[in-house]
Amino acid sequence: MSFSALGSYAESPIVHVVVGGACFFATMLACCAIEPSWTAVRIGLSYYGNSITTCAPYAIGFVLCIGITARGLLRIRPSHPAARRFRHAVGLVLTLMVPIPLTPYRLDLVFDWLHIGAATLLFLAGLMLGLWLAFRFNRTGRAKLWFALEALAAISILTAQLGVHDYMIPSELAFQLSVLGLIVHSVRRLSACGLERRTSS
């Protein structure tokens, strides 16, 4: 593979989305390794945004995920209506991720409510994004399978919140993985349709 071809591949939107998602998962798992806690598993990933030892990798994970994924979205040409709607939809979810690391809920009651509100909006936006991608944007069997996994993860998150089980973190990671799978599948479709910006050789 030539250097120009390698550079073009590195600039692919799919690569950006995958790397952004991988950074998020890697830093969240690093938080779990730095401070193993059954309380965290039960409460959720936001637990690590309140700990001095894990707040840095926790925040870095969000910054890298948002920044790298957003850069990938910029590699999709916005001239086509489908590409433009996709960029706006995913961009909205990325924007809603920003308040999560900025609202450590243990500071006071105000931050607690702000965090709950931000997390709820992000959760609902991710679910609506998945529904739209699976049944309006893609309409493929693979996209619907990804959404089925997302819906199951969403149910698991809700039941964890209600105290039915104590596996909030695995539920959240499964939700994030299914959303990532849907986005990657959609970017592949856009790339196949020639809606990807080309780098100069």
Side-chain angles (χ1 to χ4, degrees):
M1 181 180 290
S2 66
F3 284 112
S4 60
L6 185 62
S8 178
Y9 179 76
E11 288 299 312
S12 166
I14 295 177
V15 172
H16 282 81
V17 172
V18 171
V19 171
C23 287
F24 180 82
F25 279 94
T27 51
M28 295 304 113
L29 292 176
C31 289
C32 295
I34 292 168
E35 190 177 327
S37 169
W38 181 252
T39 302
V41 175
R42 180 171 52 84
I43 292 177
L45 291 169
S46 293
Y47 173 92
Y48 290 112
N50 296 274
S51 172
I52 297 298
T53 57
T54 56
C55 62
Y58 179 81
I60 289 170
F62 278 85
V63 170
L64 291 177
C65 180
I66 294 168
I68 296 173
T69 305
R71 192 169 188 270
L73 292 180
L74 294 177
R75 302 301 308 164
I76 299 172
R77 290 186 295 179
S79 55
H80 193 279
R84 190 161 54 249
R85 287 192 295 269
F86 175 79
R87 284 178 47 162
H88 289 165
V90 178
L92 174 62
V93 172
L94 292 177
T95 301
L96 291 174
M97 289 179 68
V98 173
I100 302 298
L102 299 178
T103 52
Y105 58 82
R106 287 184 186 170
L107 285 181
D108 57 35
L109 187 60
V110 173
F111 274 86
D112 188 16
W113 280 106
L114 286 173
H115 184 82
I116 290 172
T120 301
L121 283 175
L122 178 60
F123 172 77
L124 292 175
L127 197 58
M128 291 302 101
L129 174 66
L131 184 66
W132 177 69
L133 289 177
F135 292 94
R136 293 296 301 273
F137 189 80
N138 280 304
R139 300 181 183 179
T140 64
R142 183 174 296 180
K144 290 173 183 176
L145 176 59
W146 277 117
F147 179 73
L149 295 173
E150 182 186 6
L152 288 173
I155 293 170
S156 185
I157 289 173
L158 288 175
T159 51
Q161 186 67 37
L162 294 173
V164 176
H165 62 83
D166 294 330
Y167 300 100
M168 178 65 84
I169 283 183
S171 302
E172 290 177 336
L173 291 177
F175 187 85
Q176 294 289 339
L177 180 63
S178 56
V179 173
L180 177 64
L182 268 169
I183 293 173
V184 170
H185 182 64
S186 302
V187 173
R188 286 172 61 90
R189 175 176 178 252
L190 290 172
S191 298
C193 293
L195 297 177
E196 177 181 328
R197 294 184 191 274
R198 301 297 179 185
T199 56
S200 56
S201 57

